């Protein structure tokens, strides 16, 4: 007899000071449950409410093995569809059902997807510095632990910390994080000149524009970066300007990676069909979980486009495991973002407890960086990650106003963050 869904329960926790939301699905079979990730840190209380009020009553009593049917049912149930809030709630359920299916088959997720196409997942990590010397030092630390791909940034994506108003700003501007796009582009070109002088071709360099320039600026910026042979340039324009990607792509030789803000298959359709990107990098909980990620990857594959899923600290280890399992089995996997060690060290500075230890007390079987440039999965059935709810409760979530997204230009106007 196929087990049925008995409960769909959100679990909030913030062991790293970042709100994580995990969905636990319990079934009618004793001891059989699954975990999924519904983390959208800046709106997590809303998603928790959505799951408790609308999703759980919709799903109780349904057979756990009908993942595609349940995905579509959740997607169309409110009539108006898509968006990051709905998609994260759907993702929590979708991943938990894949976790359950893996446990029922006694196989890791990648086995259900056809088995391994590779043995380790090559990853890139993020390095920044207040000046190039500090950045070089940071990159050298990564090289010591075997990393071959590094995303290099000047300061915080070229902007000021929240609350710092540069002198050049117009009188009376509001509090925010400020960016001068022209300065940012000039400084970044100089940064890559120095990095290539220092490292030669020994390391693959990446960069994230974080959609902080206009499309016309993006076109010339990509062209100016061509001589530095970047592995790719990330999010050169906002998703609202995806129709510019083809023109930008045709004007430069720098490979483009796009899409951590995608929330709907229409968002990546044009970029893929018009061959305006080389890597799609959706945040898989924001598009609705494993099921749509597999479809997006297959669609991109038929156009020769690879994946590089978004994997920041504001997703749970459950998502990280889902991503690594997908990467192991995808023919058109490209590269994987990873925020393991470095992120925990960074979060450590702002917290009053050992963040790395706290993450491992709350979550077990987290996919780990192998100190050789690769991340490896946990080889356990389903997604393999488990959560200790008592430990999770020791790190309650807080819901402050989000500040870093209040990005502005020198004249005081808002800029996509
Ligand atoms: Mg990014």
């Amino acid at each position: 007899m196929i087990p049925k869904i008995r409960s769909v329960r959100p679990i909030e926790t913030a062991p790293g000071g970042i709100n994580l939301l995990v969905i636990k699905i319990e079934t009618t079979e004793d001891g059989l449950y699954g975990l999924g990730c519904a983390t959208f840190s800046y709106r997590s209380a809303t998603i928790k409410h959505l799951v408790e009020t609308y999703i759980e009553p919709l799903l109780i009593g349904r057979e756990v093995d009908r993942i595609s049917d349940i995905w579509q049912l959740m997607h169309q149930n409110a009539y108006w569809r898509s968006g990051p809030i709905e998609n994260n709630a759907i993702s929590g359920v979708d991943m938990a059902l894949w976790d359950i299916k893996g446990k029922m088959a006694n196989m890791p997720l990648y086995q259900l997807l056809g088995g391994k196409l590779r043995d380790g997942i090559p990853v890139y990590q993020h390095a920044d510095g207040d000046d190039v010397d500090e950045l070089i030092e940071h990159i050298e630390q990564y090289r010591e632990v075997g990393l071959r791909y590094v995303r290099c940034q000047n300061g915080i994506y070229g902007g000021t910390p929240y609350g710092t108003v540069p002198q050049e700003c117009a009188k009376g501007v509001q509090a925010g994080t400020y960016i001068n796009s022209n300065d940012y582009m000039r400084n970044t070109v100089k940064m890559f000149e120095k990095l290539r002088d220092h490292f030669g071709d020994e390391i693959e360099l990446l960069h994230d524009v974080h959609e902080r320039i206009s499309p016309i600026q993006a076109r010339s910026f990509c062209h100016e970066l061509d001589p530095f042979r970047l592995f790719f340039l990330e999010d050169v324009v906002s998703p609202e300007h995806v129709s510019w990607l083809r023109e930008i792509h045709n004007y430069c030789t720098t490979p483009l990676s796009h899409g951590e803000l995608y929330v709907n298959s229409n968002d990546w359709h044009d970029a893929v069909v018009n061959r305006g990107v080389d890597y799609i990098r959706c945040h898989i909980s924001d598009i609705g979980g494993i099921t749509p990620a597999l479809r997006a990857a297959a669609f991109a594959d038929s156009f020769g486009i690879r994946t590089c899923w978004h994997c920041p600290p504001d997703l749970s280890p459950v998502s990280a495991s889902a991503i690594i399992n997908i990467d192991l089995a995808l023919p058109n996997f490209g590269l994987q973002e990873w925020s393991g060690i470095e992120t925990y060290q960074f979060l450590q500075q702002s917290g009053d407890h050992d963040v790395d230890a706290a993450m491992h007390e709350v979550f077990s079987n987290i996919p780990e960086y192998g100190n050789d440039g690769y991340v490896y999965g946990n080889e356990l059935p389903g997604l393999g990650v488990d959560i200790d709810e008592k430990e999770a409760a020791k790190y309650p979530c807080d819901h402050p106003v989000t500040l870093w997204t209040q990005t502005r230009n020198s004249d005081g106007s808002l800029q996509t963050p």
Side-chain angles (χ1 to χ4, degrees):
M1 199 148 82
I2 303 295
K4 294 188 169 67
I5 294 174
R6 189 158 56 81
S7 67
V8 182
R9 200 156 45 79
I11 305 166
E12 284 184 301
T13 187
I18 293 176
N19 291 348
L20 305 176
L21 188 63
V22 171
I23 304 301
K24 184 170 189 173
I25 293 188
E26 288 166 314
T27 74
T28 49
E29 184 176 310
D30 264 1
L32 178 65
Y33 63 89
L35 298 179
C37 182
T39 300
F40 174 7
S41 294
Y42 315 112
R43 295 293 183 269
S44 64
T46 308
I47 296 163
K48 180 174 181 283
H49 180 73
L50 170 57
V51 170
E52 287 169 339
T53 312
Y54 299 104
I55 300 287
E56 185 183 50
L58 175 69
L59 300 187
I60 284 178
R62 293 185 190 274
E63 292 178 336
V64 296
D65 66 340
R66 302 183 67 153
I67 300 178
S68 297
D69 179 77
I70 289 175
W71 194 95
Q72 187 67 26
L73 178 75
M74 292 188 289
H75 177 62
Q76 69 187 49
N77 184 247
Y79 186 43
W80 278 275
R81 298 177 283 277
S82 180
I85 307 249
E86 283 279 349
N87 286 352
N88 268 284
I90 291 171
S91 163
V93 171
D94 179 76
M95 285 187 201
L97 292 177
W98 278 104
D99 192 24
I100 289 169
K101 196 178 278 289
K103 287 173 177 170
M104 289 169 72
N106 197 26
M107 288 179 187
L109 174 66
Y110 73 78
Q111 291 288 13
L112 306 183
L113 306 181
K116 281 185 184 175
L117 270 157
R118 53 191 57 79
D119 296 291
I121 303 303
V123 294
Y124 78 82
Q125 294 211 34
H126 174 103
D128 57 24
D130 288 338
D131 56 40
V132 179
D133 290 338
E134 201 176 291
L135 177 60
I136 287 173
E137 213 175 291
H138 201 161
I139 297 170
E140 294 286 11
Q141 288 168 10
Y142 277 137
R143 277 159 50 95
E144 281 167 24
V145 292
L147 206 70
R148 296 177 188 83
Y149 303 83
V150 183
R151 185 172 72 192
C152 308
Q153 307 291 142
N154 248 329
I156 312 163
Y157 298 113
T160 61
Y162 181 87
T164 309
V165 176
Q167 249 185 347
E168 66 182 38
C169 287
K171 289 187 193 80
V173 295
Q174 301 177 60
T177 169
Y178 276 84
I179 183 157
N180 178 320
S181 300
N182 287 327
D183 282 352
Y184 154 70
M185 290 188 293
R186 278 191 289 270
N187 292 338
T188 304
V189 171
K190 283 182 201 154
M191 176 185 87
F192 279 112
E193 275 170 5
K194 288 185 183 166
L195 292 178
R196 274 294 176 223
D197 270 356
H198 185 90
F199 291 107
D201 284 329
E202 288 169 27
I203 191 158
E204 299 290 352
L205 304 175
L206 296 75
H207 181 69
D208 189 357
V209 178
H210 225 271
E211 53 161 354
R212 287 185 166 191
I213 55 178
S214 69
I216 195 72
Q217 285 175 317
R219 193 173 60 163
S220 57
F221 184 50
C222 295
H223 189 55
E224 283 168 38
L225 290 176
D226 283 344
F228 309 112
R229 306 174 301 285
L230 300 193
F231 185 80
F232 67 54
L233 191 59
E234 194 172 310
D235 287 333
V236 289
V237 291
S238 67
E240 291 86 346
H241 291 134
V242 74
S243 59
W244 275 81
L245 282 175
R246 186 177 187 184
E247 183 168 342
I248 295 167
H249 195 255
N250 287 350
Y251 194 65
C252 67
T253 55
T254 301
L256 301 181
S257 173
H258 197 254
E260 67 187 51
L261 286 160
Y262 292 162
V263 291
N264 184 305
S265 59
N266 295 326
D267 289 342
W268 62 79
H269 181 273
D270 288 359
V272 169
V273 168
N274 295 327
R275 295 176 174 82
V277 289
D278 302 282
Y279 300 85
I280 53 164
R281 48 179 289 94
C282 313
H283 184 114
I284 70 170
S285 73
D286 273 314
I287 62 171
I290 293 165
T291 299
L294 295 173
R295 290 175 188 168
F299 176 60
D301 189 27
S302 60
F303 291 84
I305 292 164
R306 294 181 171 267
T307 64
C308 184
W309 310 114
H310 192 221
C311 193
D314 52 336
L315 52 67
S316 75
V318 179
S319 256
S321 181
I323 286 169
I324 295 303
N325 270 278
I326 292 171
D327 291 345
L328 284 168
L330 273 191
N332 58 322
F333 163 80
L335 184 65
Q336 183 55 58
E337 177 176 18
W338 196 247
S339 5
I341 343 153
E342 182 62 18
T343 307
Y344 296 150
Q345 283 167 0
F346 164 74
L347 293 170
Q348 194 68 66
Q349 295 163 11
S350 54
D352 55 0
H353 60 272
D354 183 337
V355 169
D356 190 39
M359 286 295 286
H360 284 88
E361 280 159 17
V362 175
F363 295 101
S364 46
N365 314 318
I366 300 176
E368 302 284 358
Y369 179 66
N371 282 334
D372 58 355
Y374 299 94
V375 166
Y376 299 91
N378 55 35
E379 298 293 335
L380 294 166
L383 302 177
V385 174
D386 213 340
I387 189 166
D388 182 326
E389 294 190 51
K390 270 194 190 142
E391 289 297 324
K394 289 183 187 168
Y395 306 100
C397 292
D398 197 10
H399 302 284
V401 170
T402 307
L403 299 178
W404 73 270
T405 50
Q406 299 182 34
T407 311
R408 293 181 183 274
N409 302 301
S410 313
D411 65 356
S413 60
L414 280 160
Q415 168 67 45
T416 48

